[in-house]
Amino acid sequence: MADLNKLYQAILTGDQKTAVAVTEEALAEKIDPQVLINQAMIPAMNEAGAKFECEEYFVPELLLAARAMKASLALLRPLLAERGAEPVGRVVIGTVKGDLHDIGKNLVASMLEGGGFEVHDLGADVPAEKFVAAVREKNPHLVCMSALLTVTMPAMRTTIQALKEAGVRDQVKVMVGGAPVTPDYAREIGADGYADNASSAVKKARELLAA
Amino acid sequence: MRLKLLSCEILYREMCAAVARSPHQVDVEFLPKGLHDIGGAGMCARLQAAVDKVDASLYEAVLLGYALCGNGVAGLTARSLPLVLPRGHDCITLFLGSRRRYEEYFLSNSGVYFKTTGWIERGQNLEQLGLTREKTGVGMSYEELLAKYGEDNAQYLWEQLGGYTKNYRKLTYIEMGIEPDGRFELATRREAAERNMEFEKVRGDMRLIEKLVSGDWDPEEFLIVPPGHRIVARYDEAIVGIEPAP
């Protein structure tokens, strides 16, 4: 029988091949995908996040765990779609206009996906109007913006302004982050939330959606 | 006046050239560029330690060869001497001579990365800060990743972590007019060609650097932090401001 603990370990240690193999085995045995997700995959990602926060894991380990998680999840997705299972939440994410730094943003996107969110990644150097269009098209619960430079941080404010002008600000929560971004700045520009690393971003996203 | 200058090593040649011509006596201490890689709070703590070491009886002010630098100076506190900081987001403002010129150039050249003498010959020693590249993964070579994570994972990490350089499209060399010859321009041209990036050379401007070390601290361009106050990020045209230190 497929070993859930083996799947948990494979994701935690970033062993994509084993994660995929165990997931395939489990599917062949008709194990409920939701059981795999809730009992092995999400706990493994939570543990990877905890290790990251206490500096036992660093960015590479977290990226590899998220990659293994995503590969397993890709196998489950058709089954989940078949039965009309809804994701935890839908997220639109991007690095703001003028800013090309995307490592942190990619990591947050991976962690959110690993946490069961449906993620639409708009990439880097994303103009405000593209965020607005994505909100209209994807109908997300959450918009996440990243900036790594103080010189591009004002684009977060203009994006929130653009969401207001388009009349869609109230239908989403907005979360911001990136090295120079602070909780004070998030409040000042009217964002709903701030997270200072990829692991806390998942927690904050869950909090915002529950609120 | 006798002034103490604490500067990022990235401005080594420019600061030395400007100090030589200053009407004042300026003592210089250069700090590692790697401070920028330890996060805003970490950088600020190291700068504060350097500020606190300055013998207040010898000087009239502490000059900072920095800008806001990703909030690396936010929280920095003036003890008994005032601090003087150029208003700017980062050192490129100092190289280009004004924050307006920097913002205009930056916003009209998407994906630009800058090179100067300091960006070529300084800042290689992350290890001296106790900061290993393994911590972030950024800057690790493919061979290092391979040894640590195996082939499949190394390939993936190489693609992911190389992302911040992969996104840059243009390499701009800022010539300050103090270079001994064309070696730095040539190195930048070579790197641009190797990485398939557009190359541009622009003329730098020493005016902000010279004003800093010459005591010409126009409040529009310089923040003066009186004793007992600290630097805050302002998120507006002024870029930095002050508040009373707690």
Side-chain angles (χ1 to χ4, degrees):
Chain A
M1 182 186 153
D3 184 347
L4 288 188
N5 188 47
K6 202 170 161 192
L7 178 59
Y8 172 90
Q9 286 300 333
I11 290 173
L12 185 58
T13 57
D15 180 351
Q16 180 181 234
K17 276 182 191 149
T18 304
V20 165
V22 179
T23 306
E24 279 169 345
E25 204 182 321
L27 289 179
E29 290 167 16
K30 307 269 184 243
I31 295 179
D32 184 344
Q34 216 65 58
V35 169
L36 295 181
I37 290 175
N38 293 333
Q39 291 183 22
M41 298 164 80
I42 288 179
M45 286 309 288
N46 286 345
E47 179 62 15
K51 283 177 180 286
F52 178 73
E53 285 183 44
C54 69
E55 298 205 334
E56 197 180 319
Y57 268 17
F58 298 107
V59 170
E61 286 81 10
L62 207 52
L63 279 169
L64 294 175
R67 177 192 186 216
M69 167 84 181
K70 284 201 282 185
S72 294
L73 207 54
L75 297 173
L76 305 184
R77 217 168 255 137
L79 293 169
L80 294 172
E82 244 172 54
R83 61 162 86 160
E86 279 290 311
V88 179
R90 266 184 309 278
V91 180
V92 160
I93 187 169
T95 305
V96 295
K97 185 169 167 55
D99 204 320
L100 290 127
H101 298 87
D102 62 0
I103 296 177
K105 182 268 296 169
N106 292 347
L107 190 56
V108 171
S110 288
M111 292 296 289
L112 285 170
E113 223 176 319
F117 289 82
E118 179 183 312
V119 178
H120 300 276
D121 187 347
L122 306 181
D125 193 12
V126 179
E129 53 273 28
K130 208 168 153 190
F131 276 105
V132 171
V135 167
R136 289 203 169 115
E137 196 182 314
K138 307 291 180 194
N139 197 23
H141 306 94
L142 183 65
V143 172
C144 299
M145 288 187 273
S146 163
L148 197 82
L149 304 170
T150 54
V151 69
T152 55
M153 277 166 62
M156 292 180 158
R157 190 198 295 271
T158 45
T159 303
I160 290 177
Q161 196 57 39
L163 292 172
K164 276 186 194 152
E165 280 161 19
V168 295
R169 172 66 185 90
D170 294 338
Q171 71 192 55
V172 293
K173 300 281 185 185
V174 174
M175 178 162 77
V176 296
V181 181
T182 62
D184 282 347
Y185 184 68
R187 270 192 295 277
E188 189 188 314
I189 62 171
D192 300 297
Y194 159 86
D196 86 333
N197 65 58
S199 172
S200 63
V202 180
K203 283 187 209 153
K204 191 75 204 177
R206 286 179 185 144
E207 246 177 71
L208 287 175
L209 265 51
Chain B
M1 274 195 289
R2 191 169 176 190
L3 303 166
K4 176 77 180 189
L5 169 63
L6 300 174
S7 176
C8 179
E9 63 174 333
I10 217 75
L11 290 146
Y12 209 108
R13 287 178 185 256
E14 289 77 11
M15 286 299 179
C16 289
V19 163
R21 292 196 294 262
S22 170
H24 305 295
Q25 182 186 353
V26 184
D27 294 343
V28 194
E29 183 180 335
F30 289 102
L31 298 167
K33 178 206 165 238
L35 291 183
H36 289 75
D37 301 323
I38 59 177
M43 176 168 163
C44 184
R46 300 282 188 118
L47 285 179
Q48 190 70 59
V51 167
D52 293 350
K53 255 185 20 211
V54 175
D55 182 346
S57 67
L58 295 178
Y59 303 102
E60 293 187 41
V62 177
L63 313 178
L64 299 168
Y66 287 91
L68 179 55
C69 299
N71 288 341
V73 302
L76 197 59
T77 302
R79 310 286 191 201
S80 48
L81 293 174
L83 305 175
V84 184
L85 176 77
R87 294 184 191 273
H89 285 288
D90 53 51
C91 62
I92 307 304
T93 299
L94 299 180
F95 292 121
L96 290 177
S98 82
R99 61 186 194 275
R100 206 141 296 131
R101 185 175 172 212
Y102 170 43
E103 282 183 36
E104 276 168 21
Y105 188 87
F106 180 83
L107 294 174
S108 56
N109 286 275
S110 170
V112 65
Y113 194 84
F114 297 93
K115 290 280 182 181
T116 63
T117 60
W119 279 96
I120 292 165
E121 68 184 357
R122 297 277 166 188
Q124 306 304 320
N125 300 325
L126 287 181
E127 286 74 15
Q128 73 192 68
L129 296 167
L131 184 82
T132 57
R133 282 172 299 160
E134 283 76 8
K135 262 199 165 179
T136 58
V138 174
M140 280 176 85
S141 71
Y142 182 72
E143 287 67 33
E144 287 170 305
L145 290 171
L146 185 63
K148 194 161 176 202
Y149 299 105
E151 194 182 346
D152 182 46
N153 283 339
Q155 186 63 42
Y156 176 71
L157 290 175
W158 182 246
E159 285 163 18
Q160 291 294 312
L161 299 172
Y164 87 108
T165 48
K166 140 192 108 193
N167 285 343
Y168 287 112
R169 290 187 279 269
K170 179 170 184 170
L171 215 46
T172 292
Y173 177 65
I174 308 175
E175 189 175 69
M176 301 302 294
I178 54 157
E179 296 79 357
D181 52 36
R183 75 185 75 180
F184 298 102
E185 178 185 342
L186 194 66
T188 311
R189 280 186 186 277
R190 273 205 198 111
E191 190 179 336
E194 274 164 24
R195 290 164 58 180
N196 210 12
M197 294 162 83
E198 187 191 336
F199 171 87
E200 187 180 14
K201 177 165 110 175
V202 300
R203 184 72 186 177
D205 192 336
M206 291 283 290
R207 62 178 288 280
L208 263 185
I209 294 167
E210 278 167 354
K211 286 176 91 165
L212 176 69
V213 301
S214 303
D216 183 6
W217 307 319
D218 165 11
E220 213 271 316
E221 295 199 285
F222 292 90
L223 178 75
I224 297 173
V225 189
H229 289 69
R230 65 179 183 185
I231 300 171
V232 289
R234 279 274 300 271
Y235 316 117
D236 59 19
E237 280 282 284
I239 300 177
V240 282
I242 54 168
E243 66 179 20

